[in-house]
Amino acid sequence: MTYFTIILPLALRNLRRQIRRTALTASAMIIGGALLIFTLSFGDGAHEQWIDSGVRQDSGHITIERPNFRITRKIEDRLPEQIRLTAEQAIETLRSTGYIDTASSKLTVLGLASSPAGARPVQIIGVDPVSEALFTTLDDLTIEGRYLESTDTLAAFVGIGLMRSLDLEIGSRLVLTAQDTTNEIAGQLVRVTGAFETGVEAADQSLVHIPINTANDWLTANNAVTNIGILVEPSHVAPQISSQLQQILGASLSMRDVAVMNWKEAMPELASAVMIDDFGAYVVNGLLLIVIAFGIINTVLMSVLHRHREFGVLQALGLTPKQTSAIVLSEGLVLTTVSGVLGIVISISLSRYFLGDGIDLSALVPEGSEISGTTIDPVVIPMFRTARIVQSFGWILVIGLISSIYPAVRASRIDITESMKFDR
Amino acid sequence: MKTGLFLIIPIFNNYWYDRFMNLRFLTILFILGSSSVIAQDESPKEIMQRVDRLLRGDSSQGTATMEVVTEHWERQVTLEVWSLGTDYSLLRVLSPAKEAGTATLMSENDIWNYLPKVDRSIKMPASMMAGSWMGSHFSNDDLVKESQLVEDYDITLSYRGARDGTNVWEFDLSPLPEAPVVWDRIIYQVRQSDYMPLWAKFFDENGNLSRTMTFSEFTEMGGRLIPLVMEMQPTDKPNEYTKLRYDMMQFDVGLDTSFFSLRNLKRQR
Amino acid sequence: MTWQRLGWRNLQRNYKRTLITAAGLSFSYFAVVLLVGWMSGITAELVENATGLSGGQIEIHASDYRPDRSLYDTIGGRDGTDVSRLLRQVTDDPVVISATPRVYAAGLISSGDTTSAGMLWGIDPNREPTVSRFLQNLESGHIPRPSHNEIAIGIEMARQLNVTTGDELVIVAPGADGSTGNDLFTVSGTFRTGLTRLDATVGVFALEDLQLLVALNRARIHEVAVAVTLPSVADETALRLASSTQADNPAIKVASWTEFSPQIEEYRVLVEGMHIILFGIVFFVAAFGVANTMLMATHERRREFAVMLALGITPRTLILTVLYEAFSVGLIAVVIGSTVTFPTMIWLHNAPLDMSWLYKDMTFFGSLVTPTFRVEYDVGTWIQGGLGLLMTSVLAALYPAIRASRIPPADTLSGL
């Protein structure tokens, strides 16, 4: 085809000829491409972490609960044993997809914690120590004692704030009180096995983990749970797994009794935070690429205007105006995409090598930061996704195209005779 | 075993929580003295069990004055009290006029408060239970606590002999392994001669005395010997106390569970 | 001057190129101002919501009030204070817009079948909307009127208690005299702050009604919430108010929002620091465009430069010519940039875009951020942007200018 034999070589040769100009323009685009993928991958990394943090502190990437529970948070809206077992089984069948990381069933109730020193309102979460240790981040934040273990019965894992308010130590008695499933108020003794510190006062003052069996007996729950939280890896498969679960459960259960939600539905504030951050990155990068585009337009346009004699000769030799503009278009596109891709590659390699373990922003980020109720880890680890790389490449291509259109059109309008007149 | 342990509203200041006393425990104690046939060699547990038996089916009615002194204010309230065993009680405020008619009904594990000004009865939610009752050093929780001391505590005799010239027993109560009670230890001192309780002390896990209850003015009323005055004092606030004095008390008044109803709660007389 | 005229004339000769370069530069100006404006808009909203949504930018309490927030710790202790005098002292300050008294208590709110624990706020219905915003646009009904036993509740609480405007609620709260305060209140309206912890737990009363309920006399209040013209002047104003109210109320504490929401202040400072970085990146990238153009331009005109040098113009002057050319392009860019940017910013500022199609409310450091594209601008940024732009053009042209001055005149003129 004439394209590859004539047009493309001409385009490439011209880039080579004006090496300095090419290099300068390319540098701009390399930086553009590099910045683009850099902000996107660190952004994705940060978001992944917010999401991870958020879902572990709440109810997982996917949560199975009674439809009303999220609003009422009352023990009346629990999943009875039968439904719980069906749901757990459904989760098991999906483990073969390899996406399911952990599932943790919980019995949560709002109540009171008292000691001789006082009483505080708390959120009491009955958990299976083994699966919850994989699920939650609290066990990693233990500062005294230890997290719950599977052999524990009368144990409680509390926040450091609560510990101080109620004057507790490891091994102290703690009495929990809440309304049970028969609408009666019931008390339960536990002993503190450990304490965590998140830095967020609300969590440190009010979260208490106890073994689910203990909670079950205390509240006469008959093996019911208030929710089943599921963690998936990677997070973006959540909607897909969620709908699969919904299908499986829908076959045997009514959607009035059980709801399957992914984290975007269960934690809309967090989803918003991610959206706004992404949006911000798009705006910044978009604007930057446009600035670069201006530079590209100028460069390609100038090269067209300088080569009008050359084009005149080529056209006299038989090249059509369309083919002429194809040359210019190719030049612009090749310049843009090659340098853009180069930028992406450089950025990824450098990021991976030097910053693969993450950037530590703790100097910048205030202590105990939280966004939409989720604590933020100041160390941001980049996440390189193929989808993003393709997306970035696409944008670069578009910019290259847009910048080259005007010069290409100009090139096609060269008047052969005018251009070959003797003229400097 | 359900025990009625209710704990405070989160937003109620801790301040209120401090004031609490086991009213049931008091009742046990003054019934303790009612029987004159108690063998000298009974075990502590047996003594308590006898008390238990004495309480079942025993009804009472009386009036009392309660005086509360706190850092911020002082109050005096007169009450009329009815009770049946450990599961049912009805308390009604007689004076001051501003609060007359306010009543509290305890029926098994539930507490209801009637407020005459708004003519409404409100059931206490879990979060309210540690709140103080009528501003006193009693909590709603104590009023309802169904648990018998025997059920929640292991009772041993720690001292038997003379203290200040009187022969007393001192019982050491430590909670059974799974009992949902916050105290690590309660000691109470009982007069050997007539089984009158003299004081009870409540300790936390660090061995610190949290509060003390003292009994005095032992008088015969309604055919039984009872301590007329019970005073509760928190250790951390030595200038505060709640003092309950029985003005009149009669026993075996023929009440049954139907008396302790929401309707009676509202009734003004 | 020669170099001025020469430089300017050359720009005109290749006006298309000049225009595109200028366009690129003015776009970068627009980009920077827009981005900085947007970032400022977000922090402004954060600060506003942290400080003006449910309270003021400054809070005045008895010195022992925080953190326990005891019912008894009223300003002036048990004797209270001369409230109207205190308010006057505060509003006398020039930057204070308004001040309003508050009373706080904890209690139960019951609809009969459902009872929930609540935080009870006593407010002044006339003054409060001048300090905080959450009662300005009620979801339904009206603000509670004094002596009418009215209460306004958050929409979450309304939902949990299953009540609407006009329904009756029983309020029970321990009084400051040990009695149990209780009374019936009618829901006069519902409000929405966007923050669940407020919408689900706060009940708002007329100040005197709440004082009566919890046995506090008229002189006893817990807080004076103060609104000032700008959140940024809150710190200094707090200090001034502390001294002006000292005489009458010795045991008082005046705190600005930076004290009770320090994280937001830290974040704001952080974002300001980012402005510089943004400037740097955008103009750095723009510089490449300018450098390229100037390089091409000087290469084209090398014969012209050779002639100039041969005629005796010093290399230094030549450099200045080129730089002046770049400077002029920058100037044009500033003009174009400003004409496009300023109206856009003013328009966006007054008519923020609704972004709720993309995302919903979120909270950051406990403060609300709503889905609007909102910008804040200040002349300082515009000027800095303009200077940055000019600097960029000149610096970018430095290398091409130096290269131009090094052209060997004879060789160039003889060859091609």
Side-chain angles (χ1 to χ4, degrees), chain A residues 25 71 272 298 306 367 372, chain C residues 21 159 263 292 300 360 363:
Chain A
T25 318
I71 305 171
S272 288
N298 231 353
H306 285 170
E367 172 81 32
S372 290
Chain C
T21 316
R159 197 160 45 82
Q263 287 172 338
N292 221 359
E300 274 171 14
K360 306 278 175 271
T363 63

Side-chain angles (χ1 to χ4, degrees), chain C residues 296-337:
Chain C
M296 282 192 289
T298 50
H299 184 70
E300 274 171 14
R301 290 150 56 198
R302 59 190 185 285
R303 290 186 91 228
E304 179 188 328
F305 291 146
V307 168
M308 281 160 68
L309 287 169
L311 287 177
I313 290 184
T314 62
R316 224 191 107 246
T317 316
L318 199 59
I319 292 179
L320 283 174
T321 312
V322 177
L323 289 182
Y324 183 73
E325 211 177 302
F327 183 78
S328 312
V329 175
L331 222 54
I332 298 173
V334 169
V335 171
I336 300 177

Side-chain angles (χ1 to χ4, degrees), chain A residues 18 20-28 31-32 35 50 71-72 74 120 199 268-276 279-281 283-292 294-303 305-306 364-373 376 406 410 424, chain C residues 14 16-18 20-25 27-28 30-32 34-35 38 42 114 156 159-160 194 196 262-264 266-267 270 278 281-282 284-286 288-289 291-293 295-296 299-300 302-303 355 357-370 373 399 403 416:
Chain A
Q18 300 284 345
R20 198 173 288 125
R21 183 195 310 166
T22 307
L24 261 174
T25 318
S27 320
I31 294 181
L35 264 172
W50 296 352
I71 305 171
T72 64
K74 291 208 162 88
R120 284 267 185 272
E269 276 191 6
L270 188 62
S272 288
V274 172
M275 275 293 211
I276 194 182
F279 178 68
V283 170
V284 173
N285 282 302
L287 290 172
L288 215 56
L289 284 176
I290 294 177
V291 170
I292 295 172
F294 274 103
I296 297 175
I297 294 178
N298 231 353
T299 310
V300 181
L301 190 64
M302 285 307 108
S303 85
L305 295 177
H306 285 170
L364 294 175
V365 176
E367 172 81 32
S369 296
E370 52 133 4
I371 188 167
S372 290
I376 308 178
Y406 174 62
R410 251 334 232 91
R424 269 240 55 309
Chain C
N14 242 313
K16 217 171 272 168
R17 176 170 68 203
T18 311
I20 296 183
T21 316
L25 276 173
F27 188 82
S28 24
F30 172 73
V32 164
L34 183 68
L35 287 174
W38 186 35
I42 292 186
T114 327
E156 278 306 308
R159 197 160 45 82
Q160 280 171 15
T196 323
Q263 287 172 338
I264 294 183
E266 280 181 52
Y267 179 72
L270 173 68
L278 208 62
I281 295 176
V282 176
F284 182 67
V285 170
F288 278 91
N292 221 359
T293 314
L295 215 61
M296 282 192 289
H299 184 70
E300 274 171 14
R302 59 190 185 285
R303 290 186 91 228
M355 301 293 293
W357 52 270
L358 187 64
Y359 59 92
K360 306 278 175 271
D361 285 354
M362 54 166 274
T363 63
F364 201 35
F365 301 121
S367 178
L368 191 67
V369 176
T370 55
F373 190 100
Y399 172 63
R403 270 197 99 243
L416 215 125

Side-chain angles (χ1 to χ4, degrees), chain C residues 75-109:
Chain C
I75 298 178
R78 206 183 271 204
D79 301 321
T81 184
D82 185 342
V83 179
S84 42
R85 189 177 153 82
L86 179 59
L87 287 173
R88 223 179 322 119
Q89 280 174 341
V90 171
T91 48
D92 275 348
D93 192 287
V95 300
V96 169
I97 299 177
S98 184
T100 186
R102 291 259 189 100
V103 168
Y104 296 110
L108 276 190
I109 302 180

Side-chain angles (χ1 to χ4, degrees), chain B:
Chain B
M1 168 189 77
K2 277 177 311 218
T3 48
L5 243 193
F6 305 91
L7 303 163
I8 300 176
I9 259 199
I11 46 192
F12 270 19
N13 216 298
N14 253 354
Y15 194 88
W16 294 111
Y17 179 72
D18 286 346
R19 292 107 190 70
F20 91 57
M21 174 172 100
N22 187 337
L23 189 54
R24 281 290 137 242
F25 167 54
L26 297 184
T27 324
I28 290 169
L29 291 179
F30 53 69
I31 301 298
L32 197 70
S34 67
S35 169
S36 48
V37 187
I38 298 182
Q40 289 294 336
D41 291 324
E42 275 172 316
S43 73
K45 190 164 181 220
E46 284 170 335
I47 297 176
M48 295 310 302
Q49 280 176 329
R50 283 186 75 169
V51 171
D52 232 12
R53 278 200 304 273
L54 289 170
L55 280 171
R56 299 242 185 277
D58 221 353
S59 56
S60 71
Q61 183 256 331
T63 56
T65 310
M66 184 171 76
E67 184 191 335
V68 184
V69 172
T70 70
E71 168 185 356
H72 299 288
W73 41 260
E74 296 172 15
R75 251 157 73 82
Q76 223 177 47
V77 170
T78 56
L79 308 160
E80 189 167 3
V81 184
W82 293 264
S83 76
L84 178 65
T86 51
D87 286 343
Y88 300 92
S89 299
L90 179 60
L91 295 94
R92 182 173 295 133
V93 176
L94 299 172
S95 78
K98 185 177 155 212
E99 295 172 62
T102 309
T104 304
L105 170 69
M106 284 150 325
S107 168
E108 298 193 1
N109 282 334
D110 296 331
I111 279 198
W112 293 82
N113 267 354
Y114 173 70
L115 303 160
K117 182 175 172 200
V118 298
D119 190 28
R120 294 280 198 284
S121 300
I122 299 186
K123 184 177 176 190
M124 283 290 135
S127 46
M128 256 302 243
M129 293 311 281
S132 94
W133 179 73
M134 300 256 94
S136 71
H137 294 80
F138 296 69
S139 75
N140 289 308
D141 168 31
D142 300 305
L143 266 45
V144 177
K145 204 160 179 259
E146 169 202 345
S147 68
Q148 312 291 346
L149 290 175
V150 193
E151 284 181 34
D152 284 340
Y153 294 89
D154 187 43
I155 308 169
T156 52
L157 182 65
S158 63
Y159 178 79
R160 177 199 236 144
R163 290 256 198 246
D164 295 326
T166 318
N167 275 341
V168 299
W169 289 303
E170 278 175 12
F171 294 104
D172 205 302
L173 278 68
S174 58
L176 294 172
E178 298 197 9
V181 293
V182 294
W183 304 113
D184 189 56
R185 196 159 154 245
I186 308 176
I187 305 179
Y188 76 81
Q189 192 187 70
V190 178
R191 215 151 64 175
Q192 285 188 27
S193 56
D194 51 10
Y195 286 77
M196 285 292 103
L198 293 171
W199 50 254
K201 294 189 178 175
F202 299 76
F203 294 87
D204 68 16
E205 272 182 314
N206 296 322
N208 300 319
L209 176 66
S210 254
R211 60 213 57 189
T212 312
M213 205 155 63
T214 47
F215 306 85
S216 54
E217 292 188 38
F218 302 101
T219 316
E220 188 150 313
M221 208 174 254
R224 301 182 187 197
L225 185 67
I226 56 171
L228 281 189
V229 176
M230 286 176 289
E231 185 175 325
M232 218 287 281
Q233 208 207 46
T235 316
D236 58 346
K237 295 206 160 81
N239 296 325
E240 300 195 4
Y241 63 85
T242 295
K243 194 187 273 189
L244 191 69
R245 167 191 280 274
Y246 281 90
D247 302 318
M248 186 275 287
M249 180 69 86
Q250 25 183 18
F251 298 94
D252 293 327
V253 291
L255 296 172
D256 62 27
T257 56
S258 64
F259 177 79
F260 298 91
S261 64
L262 279 174
R263 209 161 20 105
N264 269 349
L265 176 66
K266 285 192 173 190
R267 212 178 272 171
Q268 289 301 292
R269 229 288 123 220

